[in-house]
Each structure stands twice: as structure tokens, then as C-alpha cells.
Amino acid sequence: MSGSQSLSAQVAARFALRELRGGLKGFQIFLACLALGVAALTAVGTVRESILQGLSQNAALLLGGDAELALTYRFADEAERAWIAQNALQSSEITDFRSMAVALKPDGDERALTQIKSVDDAYPLVGEITLEPAMPLSQALGSPGAPGLVMERALIDRLGLEVGDPVRLGTKTFTLTAQIVTEPDNAVGGFALGPRTLVKTEHLDGAGLLQPGTLYETRYRLLTAPGSDLAALKARAETDLATSGLRWTDARAGAPGVTEFVDRLGAFLILVGLSGLAVGGVGVAAAVRAYLSRKTNVIATLKTLGASRQTVFLTYALQIAVLTALGIVLGLIIGAAIPNLLAPVITARLPVPADFGIYAGPLYEAAIYGTLAAALFTLWPLAKADEIPAAALMRDALNQTRNWPRLPYLVSAFVLLALLLGAAMLFSGNVTLTLWTALGILGVLAALSLAAAGIRALAKRLARLPLMRGRTSQRLALGAVSGPREETAAVILSLGLGLSVLSAIGQIDGNLRGAIARDLPEVAPSFFFVDIQNDQLPGFKDRLSTFEAISRIDSAPMLRGVITQINGKPAKETAGDHWVLEGDRGITYSAQKPDNTKVTAGEWWPEDYAGPMQISFAAEEAEEMGLNLNDSLTINVLGRDLTGTITSFREVDFSNAGIGFILSINPSALAGAPHTHISTVYAQAEAETAILRDVATAYPNITAVRVKDAIGRVSDLLRGLASATSYGAAATLLTGFLVLIGAAAAGEAARTYEAALLKTLGASRGTILKSFTERALLLGLSAGAIALVAGIAFSWAVTTFVMDTSFEVIWGNALAIILGGITATLLTSLAFAWRPLKARPAQILRARD
């Protein structure tokens, strides 16, 4: 730094400190907007980090051991059990599957779908299961001669059970002995279609539920020696048991599904928080501009006395830097304090442990966001202030500077924007989502800016129409909207962006609920029936054919397998983390191409084909995974590796909730493999109860999944996600409301002067108040309408291209957005209207001379 630059900086620092001694007048909204945005980001980050820390510290507890080996549709063989015994200090065997629980009652049986976990004597290896009434699990599960079971409260209530009541699983009767209060490993089971029932595995003998081909999963939990190298143990398992089709999980990521969900939800909420920060940035820019407008004479005087541009810029940049630091610190304190104060409430609502505390990561992330956003949004008004000439000792000089700052400021703004986007991509961990969100925010801001300019031009033209003659209040309102002050832009930008975020979330949420409630009932089956044995299928179909209410019955043979290799290489090395490779996938077979199957490439095998295994793969998923015709796939089915060639691609539509398989294989390749059948039944709603009762009575081993119940479980998840994002949108809207208050406060002096002139010209208080009210209504309606269009456009893109579902405008949410915009603008405008109305014209006009 040269000597002149150093002197300039010292002078600027001295001027800045002198002005800061005057207090924070004019910067309350600046601090509120910045602190609120930073607090929201800090709070979201703190909750996310607390959950991740809780998962990390309780990984073994959540998993139920140090490691887990999962097998599909079979128990471990002797070699696999020997490996487990050799490499674990202790182990536990668990099976997990769905079935029907039947409450046996004198006045009629009640049935409900349940997720059954059967355990051995060693369960749980880690942690404790809590029951009500309190008793050891071994006592609750009884003995082979008197088997017992325990259930979650939701299932007990649904079936109308009490402790001591009989419950049938399959063909065997158990006694309900207790309610499950806490289950130590309940976070690793993933999404379940029914509440939990827990029994002993040995007590399922004779129940007919774990037959060859039945859909169940077996998990082997392992406790290892302290300090064991779990990565090395995993590598050894994958080598020694390479053909077993096992899936490995260990305490390094005890609940990977939960962790991934938390990461994604946290990333999404961070980006919603960035939208709030953008709204706050508009408020920050407006507050700085209003402050510098009041300093026009001071800036002009400094330049008259010889102060350089650099000195003037640094004087006010240093003041804003100090206030930015103060706002960020306030935001960090508030954002870190709120989750910790509400920790008991949040923890009670979370399905996983959370270790609340003060974490450095969320603090520095929010601080970086806040610093970059404040610098970006204050640079423009500072640059415009730098343009004020020394001779500009007059009113509204800041409005007379050129619209675009000089090139160095534009380059600096671009660099700050790039840094902000880079930080968002780094911290959110999702480059695509970040870029689309950033482009969406920038697009909405650009659209709102253009709309504000258009509204001003339109208002100016409307005010001159002959129709407006004699309509004094309307002409005054239109004149104010079209005037040179930036109240119109401030209102449209701040309120419009906040309402746009809320509008988009409201439309997306409404369309998701609409797709579930509106679309699926027209095309979806009433039931999925699974675990239909080969010898049961003819009788099952014959039995259902007697119901006149049933319009259609579809069925298909079903196995499940894990894709382990693609073209001889590990599948994930070739296709990445595609969802098809996450766990086991459904497999079917068919000699003839089904009538409803459309082959998009390749050819179906001949009906009597008996050669090497051929595979027909779902076309859309194949394209996503980069698969081509003649690629080879290795699929592990019941512990055996089967390798075949992809000879065709076909359309598979999962949106209608019908039967759909990623993989279809020629029948001879699966000859002798034990399997069951799956069936979908389309029936009238009023007959569903009778159908369920009839099938469950005749075939106790068959599991019925009622589609409406499954949709209800999905809806619950969507409601939870919608609630979380709605909180973020509410914070954005609150910030926008603060910006409105700031804009109204900044314009109070101008409205006071305007009211004084109008009173001098003979206007009454009523006319002036009516003008203020109509101005607020016009701006609120404009902001709401623009936000609605932006929100609809964004939500249409998300539902159409991301969620791949139909879209329609939810007019209830849409009208609420417009009414919200009008109400917010009207309230803030009227709140700052009373002082201008009460002001004495002579005093005001004399002060402006």
C-alpha cells in the first residue's frame, strides 16, 4: 500500500469512527435482516450437525452392533456362520419381513399390516429395548409352548388390543405381552409400511411365514474386539464371502439412509435459507442506500474539501463492515442458541439421537454466507455514493448518479457472487441443486426488477389517462408508484422474492398431495398381495374371481436379487450410486412377452429358449446407468451368482402403482429357484374389507399391502418434509416483511413532505390516507401477482422435470399468496402513515427550503 493510500485509509477510519458514535439510527433494519438470515442458516446447520454427531456417537447402538451382514430371502449357510463366529466376539441373527397381524376377537377378527422383526436370545447386542409394562424381552417373548409378542402402540390401537389378547401371525397364535416403548436399532430399518411387531425367530416355526421364496431379509449383527479395523473386516468379508450376495454395514455409518436423508434435507434447507439471505440482502441494500441518501450533503462536502473517491468509499465501507460484523455475530448467537434452547422439544420429535451443542462448522458457514451476502448487496449503493460529485449539494443527488457503477465495482460484484455460489456448492454438497436454486433466485430477482420498472412505467401511463381525471387519490397513488423514489423496487423485490419462495413451496406441496389424492386412485390397485406360494396361486385367483367388485387381477412370479457386477466389474464402479444398486431388486420371468410390455430396443427371447441367461432391463433406468445391449450383468439370487446378457430394453411405468420389475429373465435361467408370486387386485373401495378378510382367512401366510395405507405413509413423510421447508419459507417471508418495514420507514420523510404539499394544495387527510392505502394495495397486488407467476413457473419445473408428476395450479394457495402480499404491504404502509398525516405543512416545507 502506498503512502497516499495509507493516509486515505487512516482518514477514512477516523471519519467512520466519528459517524459510528452517532449510534445505529437507520441501521436497525440492516442489522435485523442480516442477523435473521444468518440466524436461520446457523440454526439449520446446528440441527443438522447435532443429528450427524448423534448418529456418529451412537452408530453402534443404532446399528445394533459394530457390523451387520444382510442376506435376502435366506439364512446364512454353515460356511457363512463359521465366518461370523471366527470374526465376531458375539453375534445375533434377526429376520425382517411384512405380514398380517390378526386380532382374534369374539365379535370379528381385525387385521392390519405389520413389519415383523424376529430375534434370537442374543438380541439386542447393544442397547436395551424398553417395554410397557416393564419386563425383560426374554420374558415378554415367552417360550415355544406359550409364544408371546410385543407391538408398537400404533398397531395395538389400530387392532383394539390389550395386553394378554391373542394375535395370529400366519397360522400360529401368539399372546400380546407388552408395548414397545423404545427400540435401540429402529433407525436402520428404513421406510416401513406398517408398525413394528417383535417375536422370537424360533417361535415362527409352523407359522408358514418363512417358506422358500418368501420375501424376508436376514441380518447378522456382529460385536468385534475393541479397536477392530472395520474397513479391513469389510474387505475380508467381501473376499471370503464373495458369492454370498451379502450387504455390509458397519458402525462407521450406522444409519446410512438416515444420514443421507439428513444431509439432503439440511442441504435443501440451507438453500431455502439462502433465499432468505437474498431477501435480506435486498433489505440490506435498501437500508444502506437510505442511509447514504441522508449523507449526500456530507459526502459532497467531503469531496469539496478534497477527499478522494477512495476516502469517501472507505469511510462508509468501514462503517458498514463494522455493522456487518455486529449483525453476523448477533445472527450466530441467536441461531446457535435457539436449537439448544429447544433441544428437548426437537429431540422428542426426532426418530434418531441428536447431540445438541455449539459446533464450529455451522457457525463459520453462516458467517461466510453472511459476509459475502452483505458485501455483495452493499457494494452497489456504495458504488453509487462514490459517484456523487462535489457540487451535488442538493436534494436527491444519489438518485441523479448513473444507474450502473464503474467497471471495477461490477467486476467486484461478479467475484463476490461467484464466491457466494462456490461456498453454497461446497457447504450444501449438491452442485446441481445449488446452481439451479441460484439461477432460480437470480432469475426471480431479475424478473422482479424488470417487473418493478414495468409497473412504474404502467402507473405513469395510467395516471395520465382521461379516465383518471377527478380521481385524485388514485392519481396520487399512481404518481407515487411511478415516481423517482425506489419504494416500488424495494417492495416488489423484497416482498416478491419472499412470496415467490413461499408460493413455489405451496404449489409443490399441493401438487404432491394432489398427485397422491387425485391421480393414483383412478389407476392404482386396491391391494398388493405378496408371498403367494406356487401351489396357492390357482386357488387364490379362483377365490377372488367370485367377487363381483373386483375388476382386474394381475400376477407375476417374483424373486429378488442384488446386481453385483456389470461387464465383470463391481456394479457401483460402472453405474455409481444409482438407486437400482441400493439393495436388492425385484426379478420376474416370462416365456412370452407380456401383452402390456413394450420393448424399446433389442428382442425378447423365444418362447422355448433354454440357452444362456438373457435379461430384459427397464429402459429408463438402463439409460441412467449407462447400460447397453449385450452388456453382461451378474445378479446374486439366494446366494448364487447368475450372469446373463442384456438382450432387450422395455418400458416400465412405476407411476401407476402396478406390477413393475427392473429385471425380467428367461424362465429356464431360474429353473428350480424357490420363489413366490405377487398379485395386484383392482376392486371397488367398499369391497376391500371383505376381500382382505377372505384372503387372510384362507391363506394366512399371504401378506396384503393396502395401497391407500402405503400412500398414507408416504404422505406422512411428505408432510414432514413440507413442514420443514415451510419453516424456511416463513423465515424468508419474515425477512421480506422486515424489508418492507425498512422501505416504509425510509420513505416516511418523503411521504411527510408529500403530505405537506398536498395539504397546502387543499387535500384533506382522508384523501391523502386513501392515496397511501391505494398505493399500498397496488404494490402489494403487484408483488403478490409477480410472486405467484414466479412460484408457479418454478414449481412446475420441479414437479415436471424433477419429480416427474403432473402439475396443476393450486388456486387456494395462489390466492393466499396474493392476499398475503396485499396485507403485508398495507400493514407496513399504514403503520408509517400516521406521522406524515399529522405533520404541519408550514414546519415541513420551511425545513426543506
Side-chain angles (χ1 to χ4, degrees):
M1 182 182 292
S2 65
S4 60
Q5 289 176 328
S6 177
L7 179 61
S8 178
Q10 292 177 11
V11 172
R14 190 177 304 120
F15 287 161
L17 289 174
R18 286 179 178 176
E19 294 214 19
L20 283 172
R21 291 172 189 167
L24 301 179
K25 184 179 180 181
F27 277 104
Q28 294 91 337
I29 297 298
F30 175 101
L31 291 173
C33 290
L34 184 59
L36 184 60
V38 171
L41 290 166
T42 306
V44 169
T46 298
V47 172
R48 181 189 60 185
E49 188 64 26
S50 299
I51 295 174
L52 293 177
Q53 288 293 327
L55 292 174
S56 175
Q57 294 175 14
N58 296 276
L61 175 64
L62 294 171
L63 182 63
D66 295 322
E68 177 186 273
L69 287 78
L71 300 172
T72 303
Y73 306 159
R74 69 182 184 90
F75 291 91
D77 58 27
E78 291 185 6
E80 291 161 344
R81 292 179 185 275
W83 189 94
I84 292 171
Q86 181 182 356
N87 290 278
L89 296 178
Q90 191 177 0
S91 64
S92 175
E93 180 186 77
I94 298 165
T95 62
D96 192 84
F97 60 97
R98 299 182 186 95
S99 187
M100 303 301 294
V102 182
L104 304 177
K105 297 184 176 181
D107 56 346
D109 299 342
E110 293 289 339
R111 296 165 177 81
L113 182 68
T114 179
Q115 193 80 22
I116 297 178
K117 177 192 287 184
S118 70
V119 301
D120 57 12
D121 291 332
Y123 176 86
L125 292 179
V126 181
E128 295 182 359
I129 185 167
T130 308
L131 304 175
E132 178 62 40
M135 66 179 73
L137 181 61
S138 58
Q139 177 185 339
L141 299 185
S143 63
L149 56 75
V150 294
M151 291 177 164
E152 289 184 349
R153 168 56 63 185
L155 186 57
I156 294 174
D157 292 342
R158 187 177 304 172
L159 293 173
L161 292 169
E162 295 182 358
V163 171
D165 286 348
V167 179
R168 191 176 69 229
L169 300 177
T171 58
K172 195 167 186 177
T173 301
F174 296 74
T175 300
L176 175 64
T177 58
Q179 168 199 340
I180 300 173
V181 178
T182 60
E183 187 182 358
D185 54 346
N186 66 342
V188 299
F191 177 74
L193 291 175
R196 172 76 69 200
T197 295
L198 202 149
V199 299
K200 244 185 184 178
T201 303
E202 62 178 300
H203 296 170
L204 291 174
D205 291 343
L209 295 176
L210 298 180
Q211 302 181 61
T214 300
L215 307 181
Y216 67 93
E217 183 177 68
T218 312
R219 299 173 182 169
Y220 294 88
R221 306 273 174 76
L222 283 62
L223 280 184
T224 61
S228 295
D229 187 342
L230 295 176
L233 186 61
K234 176 184 179 182
R236 189 158 62 248
E238 292 176 342
T239 300
D240 297 345
L241 307 174
T243 61
S244 65
L246 67 86
R247 298 187 302 281
W248 175 278
T249 309
D250 59 53
R252 293 173 300 166
V258 176
T259 302
E260 183 179 5
F261 175 77
V262 171
D263 282 341
R264 289 184 178 180
L265 180 59
F268 185 71
L269 288 175
I270 285 292
L271 295 176
V272 173
L274 285 179
S275 301
L277 203 58
V279 177
V282 175
V284 164
V288 172
R289 191 188 181 288
Y291 175 75
L292 293 176
S293 293
R294 295 194 297 272
K295 295 293 182 178
T296 298
N297 289 343
V298 176
I299 294 171
T301 301
L302 288 174
K303 288 192 173 183
T304 302
L305 296 175
S308 65
R309 282 184 168 183
Q310 183 182 32
T311 301
V312 172
F313 181 85
L314 287 176
T315 296
Y316 293 98
L318 288 172
Q319 292 181 55
I320 292 169
V322 171
L323 293 169
T324 297
L326 177 60
I328 290 174
V329 170
L330 287 173
L332 294 177
I333 293 173
I334 295 170
I338 289 177
N340 283 278
L341 291 174
L342 298 179
V345 177
I346 299 174
T347 303
R349 292 177 174 268
L350 291 174
V352 293
D355 184 15
F356 281 92
I358 306 298
Y359 296 102
L363 294 177
Y364 79 74
E365 287 181 20
I368 290 173
Y369 280 134
T371 301
L372 292 174
L376 177 63
F377 282 96
T378 58
L379 183 61
W380 198 282
L382 281 172
K384 292 190 71 175
D386 184 36
E387 297 293 329
I388 296 176
L393 290 172
M394 60 187 72
R395 303 182 191 101
D396 298 327
L398 197 59
N399 284 323
Q400 296 173 11
T401 60
R402 59 186 178 184
N403 291 327
W404 290 92
R406 292 183 295 121
L407 182 60
Y409 294 115
L410 292 175
V411 173
S412 298
F414 179 80
V415 171
L416 288 170
L417 178 61
L419 289 173
L420 185 59
L421 290 178
M425 287 186 284
L426 176 65
F427 295 144
S428 71
N430 191 321
V431 175
T432 303
L433 179 61
T434 302
L435 286 176
W436 278 110
T437 302
L439 288 174
I441 293 173
L442 291 174
V444 171
L445 284 173
L448 290 172
S449 298
L450 291 174
I455 289 169
R456 290 173 63 177
L458 180 61
K460 186 174 183 179
R461 178 167 296 185
L462 289 175
R464 296 175 178 175
L465 291 177
L467 180 66
M468 301 305 298
R469 291 175 182 172
R471 300 176 180 271
T472 305
S473 63
Q474 287 88 345
R475 290 190 67 182
L476 290 174
L478 291 171
V481 170
S482 64
R485 296 196 311 272
E486 295 192 359
E487 180 183 5
T488 300
V491 171
I492 297 297
L493 283 174
S494 59
L495 187 61
L497 185 56
L499 289 176
S500 295
V501 174
L502 197 63
S503 173
I505 290 175
Q507 292 295 319
I508 291 171
D509 177 55
N511 273 278
L512 285 175
R513 296 173 192 268
I516 291 172
R518 178 187 67 247
D519 299 337
L520 282 178
E522 299 179 1
V523 297
S526 302
F527 293 102
F528 275 90
F529 288 100
V530 298
D531 293 337
I532 307 171
Q533 299 295 315
N534 291 319
D535 60 350
Q536 293 177 327
L537 184 61
F540 171 83
K541 287 186 173 180
D542 290 342
R543 195 173 195 93
L544 290 182
S545 65
T546 62
F547 284 87
E548 295 183 358
I550 294 179
S551 60
R552 176 179 161 191
I553 302 172
D554 294 333
S555 64
M558 180 176 181
L559 302 87
R560 295 189 76 85
V562 179
I563 300 175
T564 58
Q565 293 185 356
I566 300 175
N567 294 325
K569 297 180 180 179
K572 290 196 174 184
E573 288 185 10
T574 303
D577 293 327
H578 194 277
W579 66 268
V580 170
L581 304 180
E582 298 294 332
D584 55 291
R585 297 271 73 86
I587 305 171
T588 191
Y589 63 81
S590 175
Q592 294 181 330
K593 181 174 73 69
D595 294 336
N596 59 350
T597 295
K598 179 180 179 181
V599 174
T600 61
E603 294 183 359
W604 199 266
W605 45 82
E607 185 175 349
D608 57 351
Y609 178 76
M613 185 170 78
Q614 294 189 15
I615 302 169
S616 181
F617 206 93
E620 182 177 348
E621 285 68 25
E623 182 179 358
E624 294 169 355
M625 297 170 65
L627 299 179
N628 300 300
L629 291 176
N630 299 319
D631 282 350
S632 69
L633 295 182
T634 299
I635 308 165
N636 189 278
V637 180
L638 297 174
R640 291 180 53 200
D641 278 342
L642 304 176
T643 300
T645 302
I646 298 176
T647 56
S648 67
F649 295 127
R650 69 193 194 287
E651 287 186 358
V652 178
D653 184 7
F654 295 104
S655 65
N656 59 12
I659 298 176
F661 291 92
I662 294 292
L663 296 155
S664 183
I665 298 174
N666 61 293
S668 62
L670 299 172
H675 64 277
T676 57
H677 291 257
I678 183 173
S679 178
T680 53
V681 175
Y682 298 76
Q684 297 174 13
E686 58 269 17
E688 290 180 356
T689 301
I691 293 170
L692 178 61
R693 182 182 297 112
D694 185 79
V695 172
T697 301
Y699 303 105
N701 66 291
I702 294 178
T703 299
V705 179
R706 192 166 180 261
V707 172
K708 289 182 180 178
D709 292 340
I711 292 172
R713 301 282 286 190
V714 175
S715 298
D716 291 341
L717 290 177
L718 291 175
R719 278 192 290 270
L721 181 60
S723 297
T725 53
S726 295
Y727 293 140
T732 302
L733 193 59
L734 175 59
T735 307
F737 191 65
L738 288 176
V739 179
L740 277 183
I741 294 174
E748 186 179 37
R751 280 191 294 274
T752 302
Y753 181 65
E754 178 185 342
L757 283 176
L758 292 174
K759 286 180 181 179
T760 303
L761 296 174
S764 65
R765 285 189 178 184
T767 301
I768 298 171
L769 179 60
K770 187 178 179 183
S771 170
F772 288 169
T773 302
E774 290 170 348
R775 179 192 314 180
L777 290 173
L778 179 58
L779 289 176
L781 178 62
S782 301
I786 297 166
L788 178 61
V789 172
I792 288 175
F794 182 77
S795 56
W796 168 81
V798 171
T799 54
T800 302
F801 298 110
V802 178
M803 299 179 178
D804 194 22
T805 186
S806 59
F807 176 83
E808 68 175 31
V809 178
I810 311 300
W811 288 110
N813 293 348
L815 293 176
I817 292 298
I818 295 178
L819 290 176
I822 293 174
T823 302
T825 313
L826 186 61
L827 289 176
T828 53
S829 179
L830 293 181
F832 289 89
W834 304 115
R835 191 178 300 174
L837 290 175
K838 292 180 180 179
R840 295 181 178 179
Q843 183 180 1
I844 300 300
L845 296 176
R846 194 178 298 120
R848 293 292 294 265
D849 287 339

